[in-house]
Amino acid sequence: MNNFTYQRAATVADATAAVYADARAQFVAGGTNIIDLWKYNLTHPARLVDLNSIPTHRGLDATDYGGVLIGAFMTNAETAYHPLIEQRYPLLSRAILAGASAQIRNMATNGGNLLQRTRCYYFYDPCAPCNKRVPGSGCAAIKGRNRMHAILGASAECIAVFPSDMCVALAALDATVHVSGPSGPRSIAFQDFHRLPGKTPEQDNTLQRGEVITSLELPAEGFSQHYSYLKVRDRNSYAFALVSVATGLTLDNGTIKEARIALGGVAHKPWRVTEAEAFLHGKPANEQAFAGAADILLRGAKGYKYNAFKITLAKRAIIRNGMMALNPDSQRPGAQPSA
Amino acid sequence: MTATASVGQPINRLEGKLKVTGAAQYAGDYPVDGLLYGYVVNSTITRGKIINIETRAAMTLDGVVEVFTHENRPKLAWFDMQYADMDAPPGSVFKPLHDAEVLFNGQPIALVVARDFETARYAATLVKVLYQAEAFAACLDDNLEKARAPKIGMASVLKPPPPKPTGNFEEAYNNSPVKVSVEIKHGAEHHNPLELFATTTLYEGEGKLTIYDKTQGTINNQLFVANVFGLHYKNVRVLAPFVGGGFGSGLRPQYQLFLCVLAALQLKRSVRLTLDRQQMFPFCHRPQTIQRLKFSADENGRITALNHAAIGETSQYEDYTEIVSDWSHRLYPAPNTLFEYKLVPLDVHTPIDMRAPGGSTGMHAIECTLDELAYALNTDPLELRLKNYSDLDPSKGKPFTSKELKQCYLKAAEQFGWEKRNPIPGSMTRGNKLIGYGMATGIWDAYQFPARVEAILTAEGKLILNNAVTDIGTGTMTVMTQIAADALGVSLADVTFQYGDSKHPFSMFQGGSAATASTGVGIVMAAKALRKKILEKAKRIPGSPLKGIAGDDLVFGDGKIASRHDPSKYVSLGDVVAANNGRPIKTTNMGKPHLVKLRKYSKAAHSAAFVEVEIDKDLKTINVTRAVTAVAAGTIVNPKTARSQILGSMVWSISKALREESMLDENLGKYINPNLAEYHIPVHADIHALDVIFADEKDELINELGIKGVGEIGLVAMPAAISNAVFHATGKRLYKLPMHFNELLENETVSDNP
Ligand SMILES: Cc1cc2nc3c(=O)[nH]c(=O)nc-3n(C[C@H](O)[C@H](O)[C@H](O)COP(=O)(O)OP(=O)(O)OC[C@H]3O[C@@H](n4cnc5c(N)ncnc54)[C@H](O)[C@@H]3O)c2cc1C
């Protein structure tokens, strides 16, 4: 960990200008990811611009369109336990609470959550080849220990997955990311925020240098009647998803009116396929219908030595989560034994 | 007032408050004026040579004092002998900064010393190393053809090679009507005690050091430092009053001790060196092991033949061994046996004992194989074990000093509700969950090492007992105080046990579940001797009111010695000291195992574990929902700390069976998950109903206290019980630990490995 200059930003414009002006400057919010990366000798900011001193964008507001605007500097915990989120967007609340630990969620911010880096073991090892960390150095994961890695949308350069839980729900809910940069504010549809690795896996997303995430907007439909978040992982808490599924449904007499399904732990970004959702439209909400949607979602899936199981697992998780969404009370948080 | 016996009482840890309030100081915590801080540079290749090591950039950084490498280190002891600690296996000990050779990934190759930790850590990133890398072998599975017999050495006394074959295994196995054959693989595991490895070395003038070290053996490390650096052992004092877990990783001096002392002596300054979590992965581990077992039985379920072959890994320079393959015959009689144990040297650092070394590995395989045998025989697994129950140790033909294993089986089975088990795999369900019941047996040696204890009545009239043993978090200090109180006949508050300091009389390193018996017996000896001395002195005081009163009518307590019948007749401890011209009364005595008497016996602690798992029918995720472990380990000195030991082992069993995995990347030759985010140990949500039962086991032969130790026995049976429960739930046996739930998913996966 190198020496650095620390600076508190007073406003979003302040923060933006500071980072834009210095190629080695970075923002810090909760610090739960960037400080780790720094200590592991993977990132070396010369200037740290603290967003915690900015008084704005820390709350939740209703929008004119019946939706909600969530401040980027709010913590994950504040968001998950906010009554408006619990009541109208319980899928988001569940997804956040499935991630990390209570301590980390108390520090982690919504903006930082979108920008957390992959948990690929080789990305985390400064001595291992990794195209995401050092472009052109190779990928140790493709022929290495790839249990946690991608089955969808990967490239020959990178098979890392994006690890967030919160973002899987945000993808399913069709969120919009509001950002503010040197050339003013702009909005990014959630599906366009994160990117696939392709030949430039060093770029996780489409944010430009100096841009600050200011808020996340959710549309009016929150799927609060029929929703479920299922996270399958190697221990019952405090582990990243091997496969996770966020499902939101609206039903009309047992027939699916609208469906949203997003997958986590399987790709470089939350995985959504609108065709799979269209397939469910008008179908009876049953295992067979969810299995059909799963096949579409997993089209082109490719496994590696240690993660081929994810294809079967994802299919089963999609079906199970669809069924749990019909009756959200059937969800048992964590992995409690049956009653 | 007569003190009531404190052995057998569930006493809270005497140091508990210090620990939970943060007042307890660990090796890296001691505040010292003018302290320098070290940070280690580790090799980034697995095998090869250092061609060049460039330290100039680090040296010129403000605050850096020195960078030590193999090129500028002082001349040191050369012979392996001088580096060999009490726990060194046969071979040549690894010597940090010795030369340009890189022998394993993460080998310490330089030490940066700076005025603060942050500067040292940053400077370490500026040290640039040019290597000539060579081919390496790090994966056991790929190198089995290199398996060979282990070298014999000092360590073989405690870890003898497997016994000679008996009968004719091949013939008996082939002719038996029922037989099973199994291959089981265990990956490496890392101890990961919560406390990071650290050393604070206080430079006290020419050749004199006081060292706070994270260790399980203060005297072991004192002698190591004295030998390697050519110091008089009396000038080296090693202290470890609080140790935040060891699990075996502190049985040998670790490299931070060596480097910290080297820097302190060279710079003539006090130095602290703390390793970070990643740096604790290369330095020792439980070895990868592959086992093949073949068991057979007659139609009545009597075992006819046992074959157990194990291959473990070791480093290229030391032959670390475990007892893996001969446990089955210490439980189950069989006329034909064949046990084998081999090593494959790999380019890794030498493994080290990790909680229940060998036993938890071997018994997992044995008890899974026995479960298969039960299915092959169409017999209940518990029934099979009872059918082959032996009061003698079949491998030696000798009786046990005590063996209440049957009691463990029956009590635990009843509490668990084993009779509700439907033996057909997959037949028990609850909603969308498959239910599995599994059971297994545990056995662990009952060791006792010699220990010397000093007992003192101080000039201030206080009773103190001293021994160099550590308390690695198990409750040693509390338990020793209990034993001392009873041996002196006083209450807990009247006696102090001082420990964790090499200046105290001898204790071995704290391992093998031996500390309570070893130091405990030493305490009994010293306390009895001191009591006798005090009584004699008390009676000899001119006009002593105790004159003529028989020894057994005298009671200690409240700072005096009094007649039980007539408490008005007493002498205060202060009077005794005064009669000794104000000088303390001291005695040092040795507790040692009764080797001759015990030659006629076998000695072991036993256990039985019963486990329930729930497995999701579709997703196959595995949850251990209930477990009962019954333990027969002789006298339970403190039911509370002992229960904690067993509970901890039960949590660890869940970890071993389902969580913990040091992921070896065979292309890089290193573990690639060296942090607690990715090295999974159980979290609260993984732990459900756990119950501990202690069998009544009175052992009048094993030692003065009837103690066998409880540090490891809890980790021997339960991993296999979990494996067996998974089989019962699904009909599928997973032959690799940790078990990955996804291997239970049916074979619908498309594998495309480029
Ligand atoms: C042990 C562990 C386990 C975890 N498990 C999970 C899990 O299971 N599921 C899960 O989803 N997450 C998990 N997390 C990740 C956690 O959710 C993220 O670390 C957290 O959300 C990051 O938020 P932060 O505010 O702390 O970001 P920081 O660490 O402060 O910043 C992260 C990055 O975002 C940038 N940044 C932060 N805020 C903004 C902004 N508003 N605009 C522009 N740039 C910004 C920073 O410059 C930095 O590059 C885990 C983390 C740890 C350490």
Side-chain angles (χ1 to χ4, degrees):
Chain A
M1 198 172 180
N2 52 291
N3 279 332
F4 61 96
T5 307
Y6 172 80
Q7 145 181 10
R8 287 202 171 103
T11 61
V12 169
D14 230 25
T16 293
V19 166
Y20 191 69
D22 183 347
R24 288 191 57 204
Q26 287 191 42
F27 299 119
V28 63
T32 61
N33 193 214
I34 191 172
I35 306 289
D36 271 6
L37 295 168
W38 207 348
K39 284 185 175 172
Y40 284 133
N41 203 19
L42 306 173
T43 187
H44 315 93
R47 177 183 298 274
L48 203 58
V49 178
D50 196 339
L51 301 174
N52 293 295
S53 39
I54 301 174
T56 55
H57 305 97
R58 321 203 138 258
L60 238 149
D61 299 300
T63 65
D64 298 344
Y65 311 100
V68 58
L69 203 60
I70 305 169
F73 309 144
M74 264 179 102
T75 67
N76 285 177
E78 286 163 355
T79 310
Y81 295 120
H82 195 286
L84 203 63
I85 299 296
E86 281 183 330
Q87 284 152 29
R88 294 198 35 214
Y89 305 94
L91 179 59
L92 178 60
S93 181
R94 287 286 165 97
I96 292 173
L97 297 178
S101 64
Q103 294 90 330
I104 291 172
R105 295 190 301 263
N106 283 340
M107 288 301 291
T109 63
N110 296 330
N113 195 303
L114 267 64
L115 297 173
Q116 62 177 297
R117 313 255 10 222
T118 183
R119 290 279 160 175
C120 172
Y121 316 114
Y122 302 95
F123 175 77
Y124 261 82
D125 178 353
C127 313
C130 172
N131 289 323
K132 186 180 273 300
R133 187 166 26 76
V134 183
S137 62
C139 172
I142 290 179
K143 292 200 166 177
R145 290 289 194 140
N146 40 40
R147 178 173 178 77
M148 62 157 66
H149 291 77
I151 52 169
L152 288 161
S155 71
E157 278 73 25
C158 181
I159 60 169
V161 301
F162 177 59
S164 169
D165 290 295
M166 178 184 187
C167 290
V168 182
L170 290 173
L173 291 169
D174 250 347
T176 302
V177 185
H178 295 294
V179 309
S180 181
S183 43
R186 66 180 178 118
S187 303
I188 308 167
F190 205 80
Q191 272 305 288
D192 300 330
F193 186 82
H194 295 99
R195 52 186 300 286
L196 291 179
K199 295 215 170 297
T200 51
E202 69 277 13
Q203 291 169 30
D204 292 350
N205 52 58
T206 53
L207 204 64
Q208 303 295 313
R209 186 154 70 85
E211 279 184 332
V212 172
I213 300 174
T214 50
S215 55
L216 306 170
E217 186 176 343
L218 297 179
E221 180 56 75
F223 301 95
S224 59
Q225 297 307 303
H226 302 291
Y227 67 91
S228 179
Y229 188 75
L230 174 62
K231 183 175 181 182
V232 188
R233 45 182 155 177
D234 274 329
R235 64 180 164 190
N236 289 342
S237 175
Y238 202 36
F240 292 93
L242 289 166
V243 168
S244 71
V245 192
T247 304
L249 302 170
T250 55
L251 298 176
D252 188 6
N253 253 331
T255 299
I256 300 172
K257 263 170 58 187
E258 191 177 1
R260 298 280 177 77
I261 304 178
L263 304 180
V266 294
H268 202 254
K269 61 188 287 190
W271 195 256
R272 250 185 91 182
V273 178
T274 39
E275 202 190 326
E277 295 167 6
F279 168 86
L280 287 172
H281 181 81
K283 295 246 170 14
N286 60 25
E287 294 197 355
Q288 201 189 341
F290 295 124
D295 287 336
I296 301 173
L297 268 153
L298 294 167
R299 230 176 245 165
K302 172 173 157 175
Y304 298 85
K305 185 170 178 186
Y306 294 100
N307 75 349
F309 71 89
K310 280 192 179 184
I311 302 172
T312 307
L313 184 63
K315 179 166 180 179
R316 295 184 184 191
I318 292 165
I319 299 169
R320 169 67 62 81
N321 202 47
M323 298 309 289
M324 289 202 299
L326 301 178
N327 175 16
D329 289 341
S330 67
Q331 298 169 46
R332 301 180 74 79
Q336 292 171 21
S338 317
Chain B
M1 178 192 87
T2 314
T4 50
S6 76
V7 167
Q9 300 300 313
I11 310 285
N12 287 338
R13 278 165 206 252
L14 301 175
E15 81 291 13
K17 190 169 175 193
L18 292 179
K19 284 184 170 165
V20 298
T21 56
Q25 287 186 327
Y26 293 81
D29 293 345
Y30 289 87
V32 181
D33 286 336
L35 196 58
L36 296 176
Y37 293 79
Y39 195 86
V40 175
V41 180
N42 301 82
S43 79
T44 59
I45 63 163
T46 302
R47 198 190 165 104
K49 275 190 188 57
I50 300 169
I51 302 295
N52 186 42
I53 184 157
E54 181 51 67
T55 59
R56 215 169 315 148
M59 277 302 292
T60 49
L61 197 72
D62 185 36
V64 172
V65 176
E66 183 59 281
V67 181
F68 292 101
T69 69
H70 66 284
E71 291 173 347
N72 70 348
R73 68 159 169 84
K75 278 212 165 43
L76 289 171
W78 183 257
F79 297 106
D80 286 336
M81 267 283 289
Q82 288 163 293
Y83 283 82
D85 61 279
M86 293 181 202
D87 196 31
S92 164
V93 182
F94 167 68
K95 308 179 203 55
L97 308 193
H98 188 64
D99 54 26
E101 294 292 321
V102 173
L103 302 170
F104 58 93
N105 204 305
Q107 175 178 321
I109 54 170
L111 174 70
V112 179
V113 183
R115 114 194 117 199
D116 55 64
F117 174 77
E118 288 74 16
T119 303
R121 180 173 59 181
Y122 175 53
T125 67
L126 303 178
V127 174
K128 296 290 174 244
V129 189
L130 184 68
Y131 300 99
Q132 185 184 325
E134 291 163 18
F136 58 81
C139 178
L140 179 62
D141 228 354
D142 300 341
N143 292 280
L144 291 176
E145 77 285 353
K146 296 180 191 152
R148 56 155 175 82
K151 294 189 198 103
I152 302 291
M154 284 285 282
S156 322
V157 178
L158 279 180
K159 294 171 171 181
K164 300 235 153 25
T166 56
N168 183 335
F169 169 75
E170 283 300 332
E171 197 181 290
Y173 181 78
N174 289 333
N175 294 336
S176 289
V178 185
K179 47 187 160 247
V180 291
S181 160
V182 162
E183 179 175 305
I184 290 193
K185 295 184 182 178
H186 288 206
E189 291 169 11
H190 282 80
H191 307 66
N192 277 312
L194 195 55
E195 181 197 9
L196 299 172
F197 267 77
T199 304
T200 303
T201 302
L202 274 62
Y203 186 78
E204 316 251 34
E206 200 61 44
K208 200 161 184 281
L209 303 175
T210 298
I211 302 170
Y212 291 95
D213 191 33
K214 177 179 175 72
T215 177
Q216 295 176 241
T218 54
I219 288 183
N220 193 22
N221 287 8
Q222 172 198 28
L223 297 180
F224 171 83
V225 167
N227 283 338
V228 171
F229 293 95
L231 306 174
H232 193 290
Y233 75 93
K234 285 195 171 151
N235 288 333
V236 179
R237 183 175 171 199
V238 175
L239 293 107
F242 297 104
V243 181
F247 313 121
S249 59
L251 288 174
R252 301 184 65 185
Q254 290 292 4
Y255 70 74
Q256 95 287 346
L257 171 65
F258 172 94
L259 292 173
C260 186
V261 168
L262 180 145
L265 287 172
Q266 279 306 106
L267 301 170
K268 301 189 187 306
R269 294 277 302 271
S270 296
V271 179
R272 169 170 303 157
L273 176 51
T274 305
L275 301 184
D276 55 30
R277 184 66 58 188
Q278 300 98 284
Q279 290 174 323
M280 284 165 52
F281 272 73
F283 78 5
C284 64
H285 59 279
R286 193 198 291 276
Q288 309 169 57
T289 308
I290 295 179
Q291 305 176 66
R292 299 196 178 104
L293 301 93
K294 291 178 180 174
F295 291 0
S296 62
D298 63 21
E299 287 93 346
N300 299 322
R302 283 238 158 66
I303 294 173
T304 51
L306 296 168
N307 169 215
H308 188 165
I311 301 179
E313 67 169 327
T314 191
S315 64
Q316 302 285 5
Y317 37 91
E318 287 174 310
D319 272 15
Y320 169 80
T321 61
E322 300 183 323
I323 296 179
V324 179
S325 54
D326 33 341
W327 295 98
S328 60
H329 204 212
R330 296 177 61 176
L331 283 164
Y332 309 116
N336 306 283
T337 62
L338 176 60
F339 303 120
E340 299 155 88
Y341 180 68
K342 287 183 177 159
L343 291 179
V344 173
L346 295 172
D347 297 304
V348 297
H349 190 29
T350 311
I352 204 169
D353 283 346
M354 181 161 162
R355 206 172 194 179
S360 70
T361 310
M363 283 302 289
H364 172 254
I366 290 163
E367 291 296 298
C368 288
T369 309
L370 222 69
D371 200 60
E372 292 212 4
L373 193 63
Y375 274 96
L377 283 158
N378 209 2
T379 302
D380 178 83
L382 175 56
E383 183 72 37
L384 177 64
R385 284 159 176 90
L386 291 172
K387 214 173 249 177
N388 288 280
Y389 193 87
S390 173
D391 286 316
L392 294 182
D393 176 344
S395 68
K396 301 197 179 90
K398 293 175 185 174
F400 284 97
T401 56
S402 60
K403 178 177 174 178
E404 291 295 345
L405 175 59
K406 196 171 275 176
Q407 201 192 126
C408 292
Y409 283 140
L410 301 179
K411 280 189 172 164
E414 192 191 335
Q415 177 149 342
F416 179 82
W418 182 253
E419 80 286 350
K420 293 193 204 89
R421 179 179 186 265
N422 178 340
I424 299 167
S427 61
M428 295 171 69
T429 60
R430 210 178 273 152
N432 56 15
K433 300 281 166 37
L434 299 162
I435 306 298
Y437 283 7
M439 61 83 56
T441 313
I443 178 168
W444 185 251
D445 251 299
Y447 293 113
Q448 183 192 341
F449 303 127
R452 281 164 63 81
V453 173
E454 178 183 40
I456 311 174
L457 171 61
T458 68
E460 295 75 36
K462 299 235 167 333
L463 292 163
I464 292 179
L465 289 102
N466 294 324
N467 177 254
V469 72
T470 48
D471 182 341
I472 51 175
T474 49
T476 309
M477 188 256 245
T478 308
V479 161
M480 294 309 168
T481 309
Q482 288 177 262
I483 292 172
D486 282 11
L488 285 164
V490 299
S491 65
L492 269 184
D494 286 332
V495 59
T496 303
F497 176 64
Q498 301 188 134
Y499 64 101
D501 187 339
S502 65
K503 80 170 187 195
H504 294 318
F506 179 83
S507 159
M508 284 285 272
F509 42 73
Q510 188 175 14
S513 298
T516 308
S518 307
T519 297
V521 170
I523 284 176
V524 169
M525 296 303 163
K528 279 192 178 146
L530 181 69
R531 190 185 155 104
K532 199 164 157 218
K533 268 191 169 180
I534 293 172
L535 289 181
E536 274 164 13
K537 271 262 153 31
K539 285 187 186 178
R540 262 191 264 122
I541 294 173
S544 170
L546 303 182
K547 200 166 234 148
I549 297 177
D552 53 11
D553 188 36
L554 291 173
V555 289
F556 263 58
D558 292 339
K560 59 191 180 206
I561 310 140
S563 158
R564 195 191 307 268
H565 287 107
D566 183 359
S568 71
K569 289 184 176 169
Y570 71 89
V571 171
S572 77
L573 290 177
D575 292 342
V576 177
V577 175
N580 200 38
N581 297 324
R583 279 176 291 130
I585 298 173
K586 292 186 186 184
T587 172
T588 300
N589 302 70
M590 170 88 106
K592 51 183 189 298
H594 303 293
L595 294 177
V596 177
K597 186 175 85 184
L598 288 173
R599 215 175 282 157
K600 288 189 247 134
Y601 299 93
S602 216
K603 47 194 180 45
H606 292 89
S607 67
F610 291 77
V611 165
E612 177 192 274
V613 296
E614 275 191 359
I615 298 181
D616 191 285
K617 273 183 184 167
D618 302 315
L619 307 172
K620 305 299 180 193
T621 43
I622 305 168
N623 217 3
V624 174
T625 42
R626 239 159 29 89
V628 179
T629 294
V631 172
T635 306
I636 300 303
V637 179
N638 182 332
K640 191 165 193 169
T641 53
R643 181 171 177 274
S644 295
Q645 282 298 302
I646 303 304
L647 280 179
S649 297
M650 291 173 79
V651 171
W652 195 321
S653 297
I654 294 172
S655 193
K656 186 177 179 66
L658 296 166
R659 299 280 178 268
E660 239 170 291
E661 181 171 27
S662 299
M663 292 184 198
L664 179 76
D665 183 293
E666 49 262 45
N667 305 317
L668 301 175
K670 70 192 296 192
Y671 302 105
I672 44 121
N673 57 335
N675 58 70
L676 291 179
E678 300 302 341
Y679 185 90
H680 290 163
I681 55 171
V683 291
H684 278 93
D686 290 323
I687 305 305
H688 305 292
L690 302 181
D691 277 320
V692 180
I693 299 169
F694 288 110
D696 299 319
E697 186 175 80
K698 214 171 160 53
D699 194 324
E700 282 168 349
L701 293 165
I702 194 148
N703 53 46
E704 282 74 357
L705 291 157
I707 288 173
K708 290 180 177 172
V710 292
E712 288 156 294
I713 184 65
L715 181 52
V716 182
M718 195 168 138
I722 297 172
S723 288
N724 296 340
V726 168
F727 175 79
H728 178 232
T730 63
K732 195 163 172 182
R733 195 171 289 277
L734 304 182
Y735 291 103
K736 215 168 146 205
L737 285 197
M739 291 181 274
H740 287 159
F741 72 92
N742 53 278
E743 281 168 32
L744 297 170
L745 292 165
E746 273 109 279
N747 216 3
E748 301 169 5
T749 52
V750 198
S751 174
D752 182 349
N753 190 25

